[in-house]
Amino acid sequence: MSRYNLQARSGLLIAGLLLLPAALLAADGDAAVPTVKIEPQLRARSHASEATIEAVRQATVAAQVQGRVLEARADAGARVRQGDVLMRIDTREADQAVAAAAANVAAAQARLVDARAALERTRSLRARNFISAAALDQAQAAFDAARAQHAAAEAGRAQADASRGFATVTSPLTGVVAQRLTEPGEMAQPGRPLMLIYEPGALRAVADVPQQQLASLGRGALQAKVEFPESGRWLDAASVTVLPAADPRTHTARVRVALPADAAGVVPGMAARVHFVVGSAPRLTVPSAAVLRRGEVTGVYVADGKGGFSLRQLRLGSALDDASVEVLAGLSGGETIALDPVRAGLVRRKP
């Protein structure tokens, strides 16, 4: 055998080996592409509204006294219990106020003792007719005034003590610190927010629904599902409450959709989409995993009945809670589509 023939046969052998994996892949694609027959099914009709997650019970902890923040014992994400110390504020100014109130109480007490003694002397003199009844009345009035001043001084001291107690900021509820708004070293002012705390077990989605859409929801018990588009997660609403007032500027009504207690991973401030159920109708859907998205092209691979697949461009609607998506145009009932668009694409390109 000549050298030329040997080289030719070696080249054919190498080419055959290179083509073998592609042929095997194509054959495997023919056998392994799962398919499903699409038929219209009775599905719930709904109106979708953008919503924001908020806590049912949340509190903005604010300062009640003025002073420098000495210590912050909780940061964002920390779990706290009702009564736990969150922050401590400098109490030197409050201590001076307490000392001044105590001094006022002592002065009022001294005036009260003097007025009581004067009243007793005046009564004794009046009993012996040494003074007039008017003098007794004046002594009685002076004693009553001193007693009132003493009571006011006591109230002032109690108020100063309470204000000093406000320097220790405690949690009003059991929950999670969502945000810390003041750092140690900053000045706290009465009414200035220090922390945001919420209870994670009770959350709701809040949506502003237009009046015309709200009218189509009906007057009975509302049903809704909450979608989180980023994760594809769906939750059934525990309850739906329409607030009995509308915004005069936007002509929308606020609707509160309570989430179930086991909504793990959901935190206030997240974006959501509420789907209000308004009835049912036949709808054509395809599994989301079967949809191929390449740039501006969205479609599925449809079986051609000859062992291959062809790409069909679709116009899709909203996503559903069972990992499927509604088909608005491009597909009809009774057709078979590939559940794995990657393998179906290999089969289509097979020589």
Side-chain angles (χ1 to χ4, degrees), residues 284-348:
L284 191 66
T285 62
V286 296
S288 300
V291 178
L292 181 70
R293 291 180 171 87
R294 292 293 183 268
E296 297 181 357
V297 177
T298 302
V300 295
Y301 281 102
V302 182
D304 57 10
K306 301 177 182 180
F309 297 90
S310 60
L311 181 61
R312 181 87 58 84
Q313 191 170 357
L314 304 179
R315 184 160 66 90
L316 301 178
S318 59
L320 303 179
D321 58 345
D322 58 350
S324 63
V325 60
E326 183 182 9
V327 177
L328 301 179
L331 198 64
S332 58
E335 294 187 284
T336 301
I337 66 170
L339 293 176
D340 190 340
V342 176
R343 287 186 175 273
L346 293 174
V347 173
R348 189 181 67 88

Side-chain angles (χ1 to χ4, degrees), residues 31-73:
V33 177
T35 60
V36 63
K37 189 175 182 180
I38 303 301
E39 295 288 353
Q41 296 180 355
L42 193 63
R43 296 295 188 98
R45 291 189 303 110
S46 62
H47 288 314
S49 296
E50 300 299 322
T52 303
I53 302 301
E54 69 175 22
V56 175
R57 289 197 61 193
Q58 58 184 359
T60 301
V61 182
Q64 294 180 266
V65 293
Q66 178 179 345
R68 190 172 302 278
V69 177
L70 300 178
E71 181 185 10
R73 294 192 176 184

Side-chain angles (χ1 to χ4, degrees), residues 271-283:
R273 186 176 294 124
V274 178
H275 297 263
F276 297 99
V277 180
V278 295
S280 60
R283 303 167 71 180

Side-chain angles (χ1 to χ4, degrees), residues 116-128:
R116 180 180 290 110
L119 178 60
E120 291 176 356
R121 288 194 300 269
T122 303
R123 285 174 177 173
S124 176
L125 293 174
R126 176 58 184 163
R128 290 177 288 175

